[in-house]
């Protein structure tokens, strides 16, 4: 995907920085490895990491995709609330949330590359819409009110 879009990508994962072959293998594919200790040291570090990102890109677990469970990551909510767009593999949540601007979906690698390109064409619009989606769908007062009404 990074090579298909000519955009920088990071992947947060455990790795041995001394393993030159592993680091170079990921780099050759366009990925920069990030030690998970850095963004997860504390909530401030995580907030800094999210705010320092252009967007979130995430592939969902196969069971969520096949089951069309409408699974949506809490991390994606953090990104939206930080005015950062999200590109997320669709698990069926597109039935409940507005997609295409601020929150982009994909079902295959080609659609993922197109979503990355769309994001780059009007980034400021996607940033504004990401914040709007967070306020409209994930603001604590709305979510808790709905939850309490259902209980």
């Amino acid at each position: 995907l990074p090579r298909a879009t000519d955009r920088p990508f990071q992947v947060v994962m455990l790795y041995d920085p001394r393993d030159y072959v592993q680091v170079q293998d990921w780099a050759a594919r366009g990925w920069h490895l990030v030690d998970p200790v850095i963004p997860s040291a504390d909530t401030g570090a995580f907030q800094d990491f999210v705010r320092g990102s252009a967007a979130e890109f995430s592939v969902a677990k196969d069971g969520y995709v096949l089951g069309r469970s409408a699974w949506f990551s809490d991390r994606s909510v953090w990104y939206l609330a930080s005015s950062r767009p999200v590109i997320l593999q669709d698990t069926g949540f597109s039935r409940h949330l507005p997609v295409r601007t601020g929150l982009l979906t994909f079902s295959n690698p080609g659609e993922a590359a197109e979503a990355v390109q769309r994001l780059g064409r009007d980034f400021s619009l996607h940033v504004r819409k990401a914040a709007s989606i967070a306020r409209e769908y994930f603001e604590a007062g709305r979510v808790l009110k709905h939850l309490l009404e259902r209980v």
Side-chain angles (χ1 to χ4, degrees):
L1 187 60
R3 288 187 293 184
T5 62
D6 198 29
R7 300 282 182 179
F9 278 76
Q10 294 180 326
V11 61
V12 178
M13 63 177 256
L14 288 173
Y15 69 98
D16 182 349
R18 298 169 298 185
D19 184 344
Y20 180 79
V21 172
Q22 181 186 32
V23 172
Q24 291 304 307
D25 188 45
W26 280 87
R29 290 175 171 77
W31 295 89
H32 172 73
L33 298 177
V34 176
D35 185 332
V37 171
I38 295 167
S40 65
D42 56 44
T43 56
F46 183 69
Q47 288 173 335
D48 291 344
F49 181 80
V50 168
R51 289 182 185 134
S53 302
E56 179 197 30
F57 172 81
S58 188
V59 175
K61 291 182 180 179
D62 200 39
Y64 297 140
V65 175
L66 293 175
R68 305 299 292 162
S69 64
W71 171 88
F72 194 81
S73 170
D74 59 334
R75 183 183 58 237
S76 296
V77 174
W78 274 73
Y79 271 83
L80 294 171
S82 297
S83 299
R84 294 295 175 254
V86 171
I87 301 172
L88 183 60
Q89 188 172 12
D90 194 4
T91 61
F93 64 82
S94 60
R95 296 185 312 255
H96 309 284
L97 297 171
V99 296
R100 296 212 38 90
T101 309
L103 173 58
L104 299 94
T105 61
F106 65 92
S107 298
N108 58 54
E111 290 178 5
E114 173 54 31
V116 171
Q117 298 296 5
R118 274 198 332 263
L119 183 72
R121 285 194 290 269
D122 197 349
F123 185 72
S124 61
L125 172 66
H126 289 282
V127 166
R128 289 190 306 276
K129 185 62 176 177
S132 172
I133 292 169
R135 283 190 305 276
E136 186 173 346
Y137 291 89
F138 299 108
E139 190 271 325
R142 288 177 186 246
V143 172
L144 291 176
K145 179 181 179 201
H146 179 72
L147 179 63
L148 290 172
E149 288 171 353
R150 291 187 61 118
V151 170

